[in-house]
């Protein structure tokens, strides 16, 4: 990689300054759910990384609110313990950690009591008077049922009112509703108190560098966009495969299932990034409007284009694991899907007739999130003995995680006197070009909400459009329970019916694999190539 042009050479640094040049103003971050896992594992570690990167304002305070009766000292100790489990003690930047913990205050309180919000107002007044901090970012790291009531209480207590140039913003975690009507009701409830530009609905996939990179890839390069349409693209495959099971979340998962847990939020964000039209600027609303238009153009998904799955027992990484129905808090005859494969159509000029296949599931053979764009075959067989349909297809694969990068597969002549063609791949891995950045994936999201950039957050209309696209399917599944569960073994690539979904269109899924570029769609050709492609 020695001769490679680096990011600074090509001006990416300048671009990043254009996009992210703002320093946050002074602010108090109020975390509801301060004792919860999300706060400990993601929000506070992200704050720590922001301190290290000097991305927080000097006048900054954190107020943690939760029902546990503990002191600020005890809260801070529990957070210190957590950061020590995430980062080896020798690598913790003591100065940065102490900078943060010295700005923290814990408030034991019941989210449902009006009195909590009066006390909170007193704490915020203190920050105003003593530290000259008037802006407030409320972070609702709590269960879904508290979103509406907390926002209403904040409104009643006057805490969402923006005056004298000071802003008030609210971050809302996933899940944003569990169907179209609950998402609409929640939007109506919070929009009764806040204006849209005060609301930051999180989809943590948008915090992933590689997801953000999709827009740069598409719109900061000249080579992709001319090919990015139905004239050149045969189909797109979006895969989010996990090896973990439900990890003690059985109760939550039973009520939600793979479709609602992953598709209208995370996978639709990937879909929107891939499919959207170019925005007129990187302004939040310009980008979000284009994403919303794309999601609105998704056909309502028919049950014939969907395959649910549920894992049975099997072997993952050499370990025998139990089936979903034996997980804690899961019904022994559960009909909840832990896997879903879908075929989507997008009703617009660019994508008419191009299928987007999606699949996501737990306990699959490898952990990988990727988007594979398969290009059309050349129109005729120029080369002797290579019928065009036997040539490996060109595939552009965007690897979102864990091995972040991008690869392009194409055909090359095998050295020798004969014309023999093989599929080969060019690969770009983030780790080869960029210094690894300490991240839990929430840093950019928190930083952006502090600077008031909502580009990476979901707007009300996008959320509703996504629920609308899957509503017919969830209704149909609620009535016709899949009879053949469990229908895939833990550690496999998912149910056989998912293969049939593509086979009926004369296509096949790419292998679920974490560690090599895709070079061919045809398994027989892939086998001959695999040995030659360096991972
Ligand atoms: C969450 C889902 O939103 O995303 C989980 O509720 C899922 O079920 C997780 O495991 C996947 O996120 P990531 O970042 O690990 O790919």
């Amino acid at each position: 990689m020695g001769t490679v042009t680096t990011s600074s050479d090509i001006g990416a640094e300048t671009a990043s300054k254009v996009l992210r040049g703002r320093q946050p103003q002074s602010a108090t971050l109020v975390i509801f759910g301060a004792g919860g896992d999300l706060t400990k594992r993601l929000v506070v570690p992200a704050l720590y990384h922001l301190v290290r990167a000097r991305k927080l304002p000097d006048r900054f305070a954190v107020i943690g609110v939760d029902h546990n009766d503990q002191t600020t000292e005890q809260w801070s100790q529990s957070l210190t313990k957590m950061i020590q489990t995430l980062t080896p003690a020798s690598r913790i930047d003591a100065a940065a950690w102490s900078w943060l913990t010295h700005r923290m205050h814990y408030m034991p309180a019941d989210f449902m009591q009006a009195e909590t919000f009066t006390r909170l107002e007193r704490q915020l007044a203190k920050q105003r008077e003593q530290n000259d901090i008037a802006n407030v970012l409320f972070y609702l790291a709590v269960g879904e049922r508290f979103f509406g009531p907390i926002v209403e209480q904040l409104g009643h207590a006057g805490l969402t009112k923006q005056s004298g140039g000071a802003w008030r913003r609210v971050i809302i975690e996933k899940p944003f509703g569990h169907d179209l009507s609950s998402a609409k009701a929640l939007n109506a409830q919070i929009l009764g108190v806040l204006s849209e530009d005060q609301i930051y609905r999180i989809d943590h996939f948008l915090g992933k560098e590689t997801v953000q990179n999709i827009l740069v890839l598409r719109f900061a390069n000249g080579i992709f966009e001319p090919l990015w349409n139905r004239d050149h693209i045969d189909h797109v495959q979006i895969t989010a495969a996990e090896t973990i099971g439900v990890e003690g979340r059985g109760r939550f998962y039973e009520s939600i299932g793979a479709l609602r847990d992953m598709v209208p939020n995370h996978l639709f964000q990937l879909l929107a990034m891939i499919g959207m039209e170019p925005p007129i600027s990187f302004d939040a609303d310009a980008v979000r409007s284009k994403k919303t238009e794309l999601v609105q153009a998704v056909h309502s998904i028919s049950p014939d284009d969907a395959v649910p799955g549920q894992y049975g027992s099997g072997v993952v990484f050499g370990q025998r694991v139990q089936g979903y129905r034996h997980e804690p808090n899961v019904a022994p005859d559960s009909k909840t899907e832990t896997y879903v494969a879908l075929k989507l159509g997008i009703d617009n000029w660019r994508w008419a007739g191009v299928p987007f296949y999606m699949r996501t599931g737990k306990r699959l053979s490898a952990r990988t999130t990727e988007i594979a764009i398969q290009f059309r075959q050349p129109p005729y067989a120029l080369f002797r003995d290579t019928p065009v349909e036997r040539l490996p297809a060109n595939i552009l694969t965007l690897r979102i995680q864990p091995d972040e990068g991008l690869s392009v597969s194409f055909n090359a002549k095998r050295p020798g006197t004969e014309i023999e063609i093989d599929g080969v791949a060019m690969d770009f891995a983030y780790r080869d070009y960029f210094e690894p950045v300490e991240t839990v994936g929430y840093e950019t999201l928190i930083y952006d909400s502090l600077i008031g950039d909502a580009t990476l957050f979901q707007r009300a209309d996008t959320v509703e459009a996504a629920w609308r696209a899957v509503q017919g399917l969830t209704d149909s599944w609620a009535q016709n329970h899949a009879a053949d569960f469990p229908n895939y073994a833990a550690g496999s690539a998912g149910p056989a019916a998912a293969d049939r979904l593509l086979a009926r269109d004369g296509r096949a899924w790419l292998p679920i694999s974490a560690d090599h570029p895709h070079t061919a769609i045809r398994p027989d050709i892939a086998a001959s190539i695999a040995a030659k492609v360096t991972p």
Side-chain angles (χ1 to χ4, degrees):
M1 292 291 161
T3 57
V4 162
T5 311
T6 66
S7 60
S8 49
D9 294 331
I10 59 172
E13 202 183 9
T14 320
S16 81
K17 280 185 191 136
V18 171
L19 295 175
R20 306 228 167 274
R22 285 190 277 160
Q23 202 52 33
Q25 298 166 333
S26 65
T28 300
L29 172 66
V30 177
I31 309 175
F32 289 94
D37 242 30
L38 179 73
T39 301
K40 289 186 183 162
R41 288 178 181 281
L42 297 167
V43 180
V44 170
L47 289 174
Y48 164 68
H49 292 150
L50 286 172
V51 179
R52 296 205 62 200
R54 300 184 183 284
K55 290 287 187 189
L56 291 183
D58 201 44
R59 280 179 291 126
F60 183 71
V62 182
I63 300 176
V65 185
D66 215 332
H67 57 83
N68 302 330
D69 202 5
Q70 58 178 343
T71 61
T72 296
E73 185 63 32
Q74 287 165 328
W75 183 48
S76 161
Q77 277 166 5
S78 73
L79 296 172
T80 305
K81 257 191 216 142
M82 177 55 82
I83 203 87
Q84 284 165 347
T85 63
L86 299 175
T87 316
S90 60
R91 285 199 13 238
I92 295 175
D93 177 341
W97 184 245
S98 130
W99 187 99
L100 186 61
T101 50
H102 276 91
R103 284 165 169 75
M104 287 180 163
H105 174 82
Y106 182 80
M107 205 183 104
D110 180 339
F111 310 141
M112 304 303 265
Q113 297 294 320
E115 174 263 345
T116 295
F117 297 82
T118 324
R119 276 166 56 214
L120 183 57
E121 164 52 15
R122 282 203 292 275
Q123 283 299 329
L124 292 171
K126 231 192 223 169
Q127 290 301 335
R128 260 193 322 268
E129 285 146 22
Q130 296 177 358
N131 301 323
D132 193 19
I133 306 180
N135 302 313
V136 186
L137 177 61
F138 298 101
Y139 196 130
L140 310 195
V142 293
E144 184 191 1
R145 68 184 187 285
F146 292 115
F147 295 159
I150 291 180
V151 170
E152 288 202 329
Q153 294 276 17
L154 288 172
H156 287 151
L159 294 176
T160 53
K161 217 150 104 226
Q162 313 192 88
S163 58
W167 50 257
R168 299 287 158 116
R169 299 176 187 141
V170 180
I171 299 183
I172 299 185
E173 266 294 336
K174 179 186 165 252
F176 198 93
H178 48 267
D179 58 12
L180 178 57
S181 65
S182 58
K184 275 180 151 177
L186 183 54
N187 271 331
Q189 191 176 15
I190 63 176
L191 283 164
V193 178
L194 301 158
S195 59
E196 181 62 43
D197 63 5
Q198 291 178 282
I199 305 171
Y200 289 71
R201 298 175 191 79
I202 282 210
D203 184 309
H204 80 273
F205 263 47
L206 291 173
K208 296 181 194 289
E209 277 294 337
T210 33
V211 175
Q212 294 165 36
N213 190 39
I214 298 173
L215 290 192
V216 176
L217 176 83
R218 286 190 58 195
F219 303 129
N221 293 297
I223 56 174
F224 299 112
E225 206 49 25
L227 303 177
W228 217 257
N229 57 53
R230 66 198 164 96
D231 294 334
H232 300 283
I233 293 179
D234 178 74
H235 75 277
V236 177
Q237 296 187 14
I238 300 180
T239 300
E242 298 185 278
T243 48
I244 54 169
V246 285
E247 305 283 282
R249 294 160 78 220
R251 187 162 296 123
F252 162 77
Y253 205 80
E254 277 286 87
S255 69
I256 200 102
L259 174 64
R260 292 190 289 183
D261 188 35
M262 294 290 290
V263 175
N265 31 64
H266 306 326
L267 297 195
F268 270 38
Q269 286 301 328
L270 301 183
L271 174 75
M273 294 287 213
I274 290 294
M276 68 191 270
E277 294 300 317
I280 51 163
S281 72
F282 269 115
D283 170 71
D285 270 321
V287 173
R288 297 193 301 173
S289 296
K290 292 299 175 195
K291 284 168 67 179
T292 306
E293 275 171 25
L294 189 283
V295 176
Q296 286 168 340
V298 173
H299 296 175
S300 170
I301 306 164
S302 145
D304 295 339
D305 289 334
V307 175
Q310 186 193 78
Y311 61 86
S313 59
V315 177
V316 178
F317 298 135
Q319 299 282 323
R320 183 117 217 119
V321 298
Q322 61 192 355
Y324 175 69
R325 289 178 174 180
H326 293 95
E327 301 276 13
N329 299 317
V330 170
D333 58 349
S334 172
K335 303 281 194 276
T336 301
E337 82 285 355
T338 60
Y339 173 100
V340 57
L342 303 170
K343 175 183 175 183
L344 302 184
I346 297 176
D347 225 351
N348 68 15
W349 196 271
R350 186 187 286 260
W351 296 119
V354 178
F356 282 69
Y357 301 101
M358 283 182 175
R359 61 184 160 167
T360 182
K362 303 233 177 250
R363 286 281 189 236
L364 294 172
S365 52
R367 174 170 188 250
T368 178
T369 303
E370 66 174 37
I371 303 163
I373 293 146
Q374 185 165 325
F375 291 89
R376 287 186 187 282
Q377 297 284 14
Y380 76 112
L382 180 62
F383 294 103
R384 202 163 19 98
D385 298 332
T386 51
V388 73
E389 68 277 12
R390 283 199 48 235
L391 286 177
N394 297 136
I395 303 170
L396 172 66
T397 307
L398 281 60
R399 298 193 303 274
I400 306 297
Q401 62 186 16
D403 173 28
E404 292 102 344
L406 184 150
S407 65
V408 186
S409 71
F410 55 96
N411 294 304
K413 178 187 167 296
R414 188 187 288 190
T417 50
E418 307 297 315
I419 297 275
E420 285 184 80
I421 296 176
D422 254 351
V424 296
M426 282 194 309
D427 196 41
F428 152 71
Y430 263 71
R431 59 172 185 273
D432 293 338
Y433 286 73
F434 303 109
E435 284 291 316
V437 178
E438 270 187 321
T439 174
V440 288
Y442 271 61
E443 291 78 1
T444 309
L445 298 174
I446 294 175
Y447 171 79
D448 281 3
S449 40
L450 285 169
I451 63 167
D453 181 347
T455 313
L456 298 178
F457 295 84
Q458 299 225 69
R459 219 168 52 183
D461 51 357
T462 328
V463 174
E464 291 179 15
W467 280 118
R468 195 168 291 115
V470 300
Q471 189 65 52
L473 183 58
T474 54
D475 289 349
S476 153
W477 281 1
Q479 276 158 28
N480 309 302
H481 283 147
D484 63 342
F485 283 177
N487 60 354
Y488 70 99
S492 72
D499 295 336
R500 293 196 289 275
L501 181 72
L502 268 71
R504 81 182 186 202
D505 295 343
R507 301 190 175 99
W509 291 110
L510 291 160
I512 293 182
S513 160
D515 56 13
H516 68 79
H518 298 299
T519 51
I521 191 93
R522 286 175 55 103
D524 52 335
I525 297 172
S528 82
I529 290 161
K532 295 192 264 24
V533 177
T534 319

